[in-house]
Amino acid sequence: MRIQLDDLQGPEIHALLEEHMRGMHALSPPESVHALDLDGLRQPNVRFWTAWDGADLLGCGALKQLDAEHAEIKSMRTAEQHLRKGVARALLAHIVEQAQALGLRRLSLETGPVPGFAAAHRLYQAFGFQECGPFADYKLDPHSVFMTRLL
């Protein structure tokens, strides 16, 4: 598996992000979907990585820097045909490593509370994330779970 910083130009990436948005809207009401679209992922404070096996796109993940010490994990998605192959674990490990290299002190994320997010919760907990209150511009929401960890 090769993980690379991505420019969000390829059609495979657009298709995976569309799959991601469909999945988020299937599990959460529209007002509780906080996934970034292409324009949001292209902002200067966002770094976006993709995981590949040859020409096959396996998954993606992003880091949105909130301030000099705090960033948010965004757009974590494994392509449907590559679930349960360690893609998300590899991407999350890479993102945590990159955050540490940037000198960040805290990583946070928002995800959903329903059973469709259970695997994500287990992954984040395995990496030391713990539930917390809302951060950045988030508000309390029964359709959101907030998690954080110190680096």
Side-chain angles (χ1 to χ4, degrees), residues 95-118:
I95 291 170
V96 169
E97 180 181 289
Q98 294 296 307
Q100 290 170 324
L102 289 168
L104 297 172
R105 298 177 53 99
R106 178 180 296 278
L107 282 179
S108 300
L109 61 95
E110 181 275 339
T111 189
V114 298
F117 292 103

Side-chain angles (χ1 to χ4, degrees), residues 1 3 6 26-28 34 36 39 58 70 75 77-78 81 84 86 91 96 115 118 127 129 134 143 149:
M1 179 182 322
I3 298 175
D6 202 287
L27 294 171
S28 301
H34 302 288
L36 295 176
D39 288 336
L58 307 177
H70 189 192
S75 301
R77 184 65 175 202
T78 300
Q81 65 272 30
R84 290 172 289 288
L91 277 163
V96 169
F127 273 77
F129 286 85
H143 301 285
R149 73 163 274 192

Side-chain angles (χ1 to χ4, degrees), residues 72-148:
E72 179 182 5
I73 294 174
K74 301 292 291 182
S75 301
M76 285 288 294
R77 184 65 175 202
T78 300
E80 192 75 29
Q81 65 272 30
H82 297 291
L83 290 171
R84 290 172 289 288
K85 295 181 183 177
V87 175
R89 181 171 294 281
L91 277 163
L92 185 55
H94 183 80
I95 291 170
V96 169
E97 180 181 289
Q98 294 296 307
Q100 290 170 324
L102 289 168
L104 297 172
R105 298 177 53 99
R106 178 180 296 278
L107 282 179
S108 300
L109 61 95
E110 181 275 339
T111 189
V114 298
F117 292 103
H121 291 191
R122 287 190 301 273
L123 175 65
Y124 295 131
Q125 289 166 347
F127 273 77
F129 286 85
Q130 298 178 349
E131 288 192 28
C132 64
F135 60 92
D137 294 331
Y138 290 107
K139 307 280 188 258
L140 276 177
D141 181 346
H143 301 285
S144 289
V145 172
F146 304 100
M147 301 180 86
T148 196

Side-chain angles (χ1 to χ4, degrees), residues 60-75:
C60 64
L63 185 69
K64 178 182 178 183
Q65 197 155 345
L66 302 173
D67 61 38
E69 297 185 342
H70 189 192
E72 179 182 5
I73 294 174
K74 301 292 291 182
S75 301

Side-chain angles (χ1 to χ4, degrees), residues 7-42:
D7 63 6
L8 293 139
Q9 296 299 319
E12 311 93 333
I13 295 153
H14 294 198
L16 181 60
L17 290 172
E18 287 173 10
E19 177 184 316
H20 180 56
M21 292 301 272
R22 281 192 307 273
M24 295 302 96
H25 283 279
L27 294 171
S28 301
E31 66 275 7
S32 297
V33 173
H34 302 288
L36 295 176
D37 61 13
L38 275 172
D39 288 336
L41 290 167
R42 288 185 174 131

